[in-house]
Amino acid sequence: MKRDHVAIVGGGFSGTLLAVNLLRHDGPRATLIERRDHTARGVAYSAAHPDHLLNVRAENMSALPDEPEHFVRWLEEHRPGVGGFVPRLVYGDYLDHLLTETSARAPGRLKVVRGEVEDVAVAAGGVHLSLRDGTRLNADSAVLAPGNLPPITPGGIDPATLPEGSYVTDPWHGDILGDLAPDDTLLVLGTGLTMVDIALLLDARGFEGKVAALSRHGLVPRAHARGVPATKRSERPQPTASAMIAALRERAAQVDWRAAVDELRPYTQGLWRAMDVAERQRFLRHLRPWWDVHRHRLAPSVAKTIEAMRTEDRLTILAGKVTDAQPDGDHVRLTYRPRHEDGERALRVRRIVNGTGPQGDLTATREPLLVALRDRGLLRADPLRIGIDVDQESRAIAADGASSDRLTVIGPMTRGAFWEIVAVPDIRRQAWSVARRLSNAQWVEGEGL
Ligand SMILES: Cc1cc2nc3c(=O)[nH]c(=O)nc-3n(C[C@H](O)[C@H](O)[C@H](O)COP(=O)(O)OP(=O)(O)OC[C@H]3O[C@@H](n4cnc5c(N)ncnc54)[C@H](O)[C@@H]3O)c2cc1C
């Protein structure tokens, strides 16, 4: 199949890394299409405050899997003295610089287009993209790197009935801080990493009121610890949710629990692949909340701030399920059922921010491009409805079950196939492999990553 030109839809971390690797592997020329006014940074590394730190140490954050020291070297050269858990904004600068520099070394091979892709038609000879502004673009194949879907409003809340400004649907695109008084309470739905970002932001801006955070289990991400030596497992546990827990418990009794979680990482994608759908469902239902808080941890300084806010009673973590939200003047009266209790409790809050985190259900999305491709059967939801169905080479699987040679999907929306595909160390590897496949370079060197 001729592949001289690849169109990449979405210029966040995943799309940018694909473009960079196509250029590095002397692959097809690329057009990177991004609807926002900046490329490379995506959501994670642009909508951040200087206090928002990476939750992975700099040594593990190289964008290039075949150059593990790349980010650390960049820091030494461009931000001397900065290391450890680096501000996310600095990481955005790194990605920006990487794209600009790689592109300058391969003149004429990368084009960046501002605009929103609304449809991709797949024909025998290639793909035809339609942009919202009427632009048409042809390529030999398309790679979708759309990022996560926005959070879904939990049942029991109808934002249309609530006072203006009292409900923020998407923390990355809404006004969280406006018009808050010192005696106000702000409620975050969710107690994970997004909640931590919101709490840090409120703390940094000097919000004097109270923050409450509510999730089903009330679990908060754990902290990284300094000086925990990395350990290695000799074999992969059995691919069942219960065997994984047993293996983790056993190892956590021998080494630090963080090391026990981290040493599973090289096996996680293989374990997921080996589980059938029922077992994966069991994992999501029973283990996911615990897995998430132990696996995706906080930088020690961030954990310290969160702990201080809790001790000073400025942040309260609640476990329970929202049952209702009603207007109460310019406030909201939110009712929830506490976990393991029969009755209900109510909170009067000035604002609710949906911090339940990224979503992936393709059947529920309103993204025009994804709706169009889903409705025409070119994309389908994975069996767990946590993303877009792809095969092990990240090729989109159509409604009829066939893998597409023209349509590839990368990034967190492929979590149904890979599970561990939300953080930089996994996405950089996926982008690298896909770029090599599209460049017909997968059989040449560099296989020992
Ligand atoms: C707040 C936050 C903090 C994180 N922190 C870390 C961390 O510290 N360490 C770590 O390893 N990982 C972290 N991650 C995870 C990981 O780095 C991100 O999930 C990753 O950056 C995903 O990048 P992406 O390009 O797939 O998605 P995004 O960054 O969301 O980019 C997708 C892009 O596609 C564009 N787009 C979508 N549809 C279209 C369309 N139809 N037409 C044109 N453009 C389109 C969007 O505008 C967007 O810019 C974090 C994630 C988040 C959300």
Side-chain angles (χ1 to χ4, degrees):
M1 190 177 81
K2 176 170 151 287
R3 216 183 267 126
D4 294 335
H5 180 204
V6 174
I8 306 168
V9 182
F13 177 80
S14 306
T16 297
L17 258 288
L18 181 70
V20 163
N21 282 304
L22 285 175
L23 300 185
R24 291 174 78 227
H25 290 114
D26 210 14
R29 70 192 166 84
T31 301
L32 182 61
I33 309 145
E34 170 57 54
R35 63 185 169 195
R36 292 160 28 125
D37 54 11
H38 54 76
T39 31
R41 297 165 182 273
V43 176
Y45 311 113
S46 58
H49 181 271
D51 285 357
H52 288 153
L53 305 182
L54 294 176
N55 54 15
V56 177
R57 288 183 178 86
E59 302 90 82
N60 294 329
M61 285 295 284
S62 167
L64 308 174
D66 47 346
E67 287 189 44
E69 309 289 317
H70 191 263
F71 181 45
V72 172
R73 282 205 312 270
W74 184 89
L75 283 174
E76 280 163 11
E77 191 180 338
H78 299 275
R79 299 284 191 284
V82 177
F85 295 93
V86 171
R88 293 213 301 263
L89 287 172
V90 170
Y91 195 70
D93 294 344
Y94 163 65
L95 296 175
D96 230 0
H97 188 256
L98 175 65
L99 182 66
T100 312
E101 201 186 36
T102 316
S103 171
R105 273 202 241 119
R109 294 202 26 239
L110 172 69
K111 187 173 172 198
V112 176
V113 171
R114 295 269 160 251
E116 173 162 357
V117 178
E118 284 196 326
D119 203 358
V120 179
V122 178
V127 293
H128 310 290
L129 286 76
S130 310
L131 275 68
R132 197 191 175 110
D133 63 6
T135 308
R136 299 282 179 271
L137 214 147
N138 299 327
D140 297 314
S141 64
V143 177
L144 311 183
N148 289 296
L149 301 176
I152 293 171
T153 298
I157 300 178
D158 179 359
T161 64
L162 302 179
E164 205 186 324
S166 66
Y167 184 80
V168 176
T169 317
D170 185 344
W172 311 120
H173 299 106
D175 183 9
I176 296 176
L177 291 154
D179 290 340
L180 286 176
D183 56 350
D184 278 340
T185 297
L186 180 142
L187 178 87
V188 183
L189 298 170
T191 57
L193 291 170
T194 308
M195 178 282 288
V196 169
D197 266 14
I198 296 165
L200 287 181
L201 187 68
L202 291 162
D203 182 57
R205 297 283 166 87
F207 174 53
E208 292 171 34
K210 294 199 184 294
V211 183
L214 173 70
S215 70
R216 293 276 180 106
H217 295 86
L219 293 171
V220 177
R222 308 298 199 255
H224 281 283
R226 292 179 213 280
V228 174
T231 54
K232 272 199 172 139
R233 283 190 77 85
S234 48
E235 89 285 7
R236 189 183 87 174
Q238 289 303 307
T240 65
S242 53
M244 260 177 79
I245 283 299
L248 272 174
R249 288 218 170 101
E250 188 190 325
R251 285 293 284 163
Q254 297 159 1
V255 296
D256 185 274
W257 67 261
R258 296 167 189 84
V261 171
D262 292 349
E263 65 178 16
L264 264 187
R265 192 155 182 167
Y267 303 98
T268 319
Q269 287 194 358
L271 277 167
W272 186 255
R273 203 165 38 233
M275 288 182 193
D276 59 23
V277 172
E279 199 55 45
R280 291 178 188 182
Q281 257 160 354
R282 212 165 289 139
F283 176 87
L284 292 181
R285 199 175 311 125
H286 301 298
L287 297 183
R288 184 180 189 170
W290 279 273
W291 175 260
D292 282 350
V293 295
H294 289 89
R295 166 69 191 79
H296 303 286
R297 299 193 286 272
L298 303 178
S301 64
V302 170
K304 213 168 146 194
T305 306
I306 294 297
E307 197 46 50
M309 288 181 78
R310 292 180 75 173
T311 311
E312 291 157 17
D313 212 19
R314 290 190 291 136
L315 169 64
T316 308
I317 305 294
L318 304 165
K321 184 173 181 264
V322 174
T323 52
D324 192 29
Q326 294 296 330
D328 181 357
D330 60 354
H331 283 59
V332 177
R333 187 181 155 80
L334 180 118
T335 315
Y336 71 100
R337 185 175 308 119
R339 190 169 163 80
H340 303 310
E341 284 182 29
D342 290 333
E344 291 188 334
R345 289 189 207 175
L347 287 170
R348 187 170 184 270
V349 301
R350 175 68 183 83
R351 180 164 297 139
I352 299 173
V353 181
N354 189 346
T356 49
Q359 294 299 318
D361 186 356
L362 188 68
T363 64
T365 185
R366 293 199 196 137
E367 281 285 336
L369 171 64
L370 300 183
V371 169
L373 295 178
R374 178 198 67 197
D375 290 353
R376 288 211 315 286
L378 292 170
L379 296 180
R380 70 178 187 187
D382 64 71
L384 299 162
R385 292 201 181 174
I386 54 176
I388 298 172
D389 209 9
V390 295
D391 67 14
Q392 288 300 310
E393 291 186 47
S394 305
R395 295 180 301 180
I397 300 179
D400 63 5
S403 291
S404 172
D405 279 332
R406 302 266 182 208
L407 213 51
T408 297
V409 187
I410 58 170
M413 282 297 280
T414 60
R415 56 170 80 76
F418 304 110
W419 178 244
E420 187 80 86
I421 195 75
V422 293
V424 163
D426 309 289
I427 300 176
R428 70 181 171 205
R429 168 92 205 204
Q430 182 187 37
W432 186 89
S433 309
V434 167
R436 286 172 69 83
R437 169 166 67 78
L438 297 175
S439 310
N440 289 324
Q442 66 268 51
W443 310 119
V444 194
E445 354 171 295
E447 295 304 328
L449 286 178

